[in-house]
Amino acid sequence: MQVLSKLTSVPITCKEYVHPWTDSCSIASAEFLIVAVQDSLRIYTAVYLLSLAMRGRIPSFEELKRTIRGLLQSTAFLTMSAFSYSVFLCVLRRLAGSYNFYTSSYIPAYIAAFVSILVERPSRRGLLCLYVSNVATETGWNILKSRGLVRSLPYGEILIFGVSTATLLYYYRLNRQKDYKDSMFDVFQFALGDSEVMKPVEQASAESRRENRSRDSTRRSAPYGMIQAAVKAYLNVITRVKTMAKHELCRHKDSCLYNTLSGGTRMFSIGLGIQVIMKVLFQARRMIRRPELFKRTFLSKEIMKLGLFLGGFTSLYKMSSCLLRHMTNTDKAAYAIPSGLVASVAFGYYADTTIALYIMWKTLQMSYNWGIEKGYVPKIPGFTVLLYCASTALLFHAATLEPMNLRPSYWKFLHSISGGRISVMDRSGFDVYGLNTSGQIREMSKMCNTAQVLKFRIEG
């Protein structure tokens, strides 16, 4: 087959490509609109209800009003994304008279993304940009890899996670007065505590003395009996571990060994608990029907992976930080970098490309914001919006011409938001670009089980 230049026009109409089930562009766009409204409302209703439930209290009338307003605005944003994409596909074809490699999806998707993001609240644009940039980075890498331009490195996701996390931890330790607020800092504080935030030594020592006095005042006399004796022996061991040596620059209240072990054990327990709860929630029906799944599920190695990652990361980071203080007799924010790299080895238990790329983009976002504050980099007006549009356009482009390079979960999302229409858009005219587009669509539909989901009859 002859492979055409990407700028070469493909003589197909929008009726043949975008909406082969109807001759009318208006009817096709209206169908996209109706389906998108329903699915968008379903998605964001769940999101906003979960947000209300996580507050742990009955919402006030004003909170309900803000929630409903945000729900409707977010629904309008997502609906506009699907609806305007179909509109601009037809409009650009009518203006240009035909399609080429870029107008087949990327350019109309970029315009549609720009129109739709302006509908969403400015406070949510950064979060949306972070998400689609994450998925677009993976998709772009897969596209380059499919063309033989790059190749994946062994444990590449661990390397990305390690470098990004080490940088974020360095920022976290520098954040003395907590003048920069970010959700990632809250995560670090939950896992590592305040002891890894830079403070004056005098302040840290005073805090340690107060905590020690408080701990001493709450001790109780040891009970008697076999169980009480065992508990007493355990408490004696813990007390000895707690009172072992620690460096004067360490800001944790107990010994370095206890700080390392207790932090790792706590995070391991949390990770294990999360996995158990998730398994119970998503497999409750199957476990009721097949009780043997309880043993198979809760005794498997898979259920411990998140706990091993969280516990191992916390322990390795705390241990490395304390060792550096002992070895150098100093405490610097820069120690977060080697400690973060060492701790990231634990990511091997739960290596996930999505998590690694999210941390990478979070690092880039924070570095860019701080660079602007310090005057190191110029502020680009509308950069978040432009990045969102470019990332979204790449995802829609891949879904149209080379979907095997797209994350399956995102394909399912696009399939759902379009009411299954994305699977039946006729891409056969674009096979001339040498990407085996039609074959990729069939394979992706099989893999995601989305071939027979349409609720309407396709004519022609």
Side-chain angles (χ1 to χ4, degrees):
M1 179 192 298
Q2 181 184 7
V3 179
L4 298 182
S5 165
K6 292 182 178 180
L7 293 176
T8 303
S9 298
V10 177
I12 59 174
T13 65
C14 56
K15 188 271 177 187
E16 296 169 322
Y17 161 43
V18 182
H19 45 85
W21 59 88
T22 179
D23 293 334
S24 172
C25 297
S26 301
I27 292 177
S29 297
E31 291 174 346
F32 272 103
L33 176 63
I34 294 172
V35 172
V37 167
Q38 295 174 351
D39 208 63
S40 300
L41 187 60
R42 176 184 61 82
I43 292 172
Y44 278 111
T45 297
V47 170
Y48 279 88
L49 286 178
L50 180 61
S51 176
L52 281 178
M54 289 180 66
R55 297 178 184 180
R57 56 182 172 81
I58 299 176
S60 64
F61 180 71
E62 288 299 322
E63 288 176 329
L64 286 175
K65 282 177 59 178
R66 286 195 300 269
T67 299
I68 294 173
R69 192 183 304 118
L71 167 63
L72 295 177
Q73 192 167 1
S74 295
T75 299
F77 150 72
L78 192 54
T79 300
M80 182 64 73
S81 298
F83 167 68
S84 59
Y85 174 65
S86 66
V87 170
F88 287 119
L89 277 173
C90 294
V91 169
L92 286 179
R93 187 264 164 192
R94 290 181 178 274
L95 293 176
S98 61
Y99 291 107
N100 61 38
F101 188 79
Y102 299 104
T103 60
S104 63
S105 186
Y106 190 91
I107 293 177
Y110 191 99
I111 300 173
F114 182 80
V115 171
S116 60
I117 194 64
L118 296 180
V119 176
E120 185 56 285
R121 287 173 295 165
S123 60
R124 283 184 49 82
R125 292 173 188 173
L127 184 63
L128 289 167
C129 179
L130 194 64
Y131 170 71
V132 295
S133 298
N134 182 336
V135 184
T137 301
E138 181 181 350
T139 302
W141 179 267
N142 291 337
I143 290 174
L144 295 175
K145 186 178 177 181
S146 68
R147 288 159 172 68
L149 299 176
V150 297
R151 62 175 182 172
S152 296
L153 296 174
Y155 309 110
E157 67 276 7
I158 299 178
L159 178 62
I160 293 173
F161 178 85
V163 173
S164 302
T165 304
T167 305
L168 287 177
L169 286 166
Y170 174 66
Y171 293 160
Y172 176 66
R173 292 203 63 185
L174 277 179
N175 197 33
R176 293 183 179 88
Q177 284 78 36
K178 298 186 178 180
D179 51 353
Y180 188 92
K181 300 293 183 181
D182 192 274
S183 59
M184 190 57 64
F185 287 172
D186 295 334
V187 174
F188 288 147
Q189 183 173 7
F190 177 78
L192 305 174
D194 284 329
S195 63
E196 294 303 330
V197 179
M198 297 295 290
K199 297 179 184 177
V201 177
E202 295 79 7
Q203 178 186 347
S205 300
E207 290 176 357
S208 179
R209 288 193 297 271
R210 285 195 298 270
E211 288 162 351
N212 287 334
R213 286 197 299 269
S214 175
R215 186 172 66 251
D216 292 339
S217 64
T218 57
R219 290 175 181 170
R220 299 287 184 268
S221 59
Y224 299 93
M226 185 178 296
I227 297 178
Q228 287 84 351
V231 172
K232 181 180 178 181
Y234 168 77
L235 292 176
N236 285 336
V237 172
I238 293 299
T239 301
R240 290 184 181 182
V241 174
K242 282 184 175 181
T243 56
M244 291 175 66
K246 75 167 186 175
H247 197 278
E248 62 181 4
L249 294 178
C250 290
R251 285 169 292 280
H252 46 81
K253 63 182 180 180
D254 297 304
S255 69
C256 296
L257 179 60
Y258 181 81
N259 180 57
T260 298
L261 295 177
S262 62
T265 302
R266 171 175 165 268
M267 293 308 298
F268 171 79
S269 303
I270 291 173
L272 181 61
I274 291 173
Q275 287 287 80
V276 169
I277 292 172
M278 295 293 286
K279 291 290 185 182
V280 170
L281 288 178
F282 290 107
Q283 298 187 24
R285 287 187 179 180
R286 294 178 58 197
M287 289 180 178
I288 292 174
R289 295 172 183 171
R290 300 172 57 191
E292 67 273 11
L293 286 179
F294 275 98
K295 181 178 179 181
R296 188 185 308 172
T297 299
F298 296 122
L299 295 181
S300 66
K301 295 180 180 179
E302 297 293 322
I303 204 170
M304 301 182 66
K305 286 186 174 181
L306 180 59
L308 289 172
F309 159 53
L310 295 177
F313 181 91
T314 303
S315 292
L316 287 172
Y317 182 82
K318 287 176 174 287
M319 179 189 69
S320 301
S321 297
C322 289
L323 282 175
L324 286 170
R325 285 189 281 265
H326 278 275
M327 292 170 60
T328 63
N329 203 32
T330 59
D331 187 24
K332 300 178 181 178
Y335 289 167
I337 296 176
S339 297
L341 291 173
V342 170
S344 296
V345 173
F347 188 59
Y349 286 114
Y350 201 73
D352 183 86
T353 303
T354 302
I355 295 175
L357 290 177
Y358 175 83
I359 298 295
M360 182 193 77
W361 275 104
K362 195 67 178 176
T363 305
L364 293 174
Q365 179 195 46
M366 196 174 298
S367 300
Y368 176 66
N369 290 337
W370 275 16
I372 292 174
E373 289 181 7
K374 300 294 184 181
Y376 299 144
V377 295
K379 182 177 182 179
I380 302 175
F383 178 76
T384 299
V385 172
L386 296 176
L387 180 59
Y388 170 84
C389 295
S391 300
T392 303
L394 178 62
L395 294 176
F396 275 67
H397 186 75
T400 301
L401 296 182
E402 39 192 318
M404 291 301 291
N405 291 320
L406 189 66
R407 187 182 297 175
S409 60
Y410 199 80
W411 169 266
K412 289 182 179 179
F413 164 72
L414 293 178
H415 187 274
S416 175
I417 204 71
S418 67
R421 288 161 177 78
I422 190 173
S423 293
V424 297
M425 291 170 62
D426 186 5
R427 284 99 153 164
S428 58
F430 301 116
D431 287 338
V432 294
Y433 292 119
L435 298 175
N436 187 28
T437 299
S438 298
Q440 289 198 47
I441 291 295
R442 288 192 295 270
E443 289 300 316
M444 180 61 81
S445 295
K446 287 180 185 177
M447 186 168 64
C448 297
N449 298 319
T450 59
Q452 306 293 332
V453 190
L454 294 182
K455 299 177 182 178
F456 61 99
R457 183 166 176 248
I458 301 173
E459 301 289 344

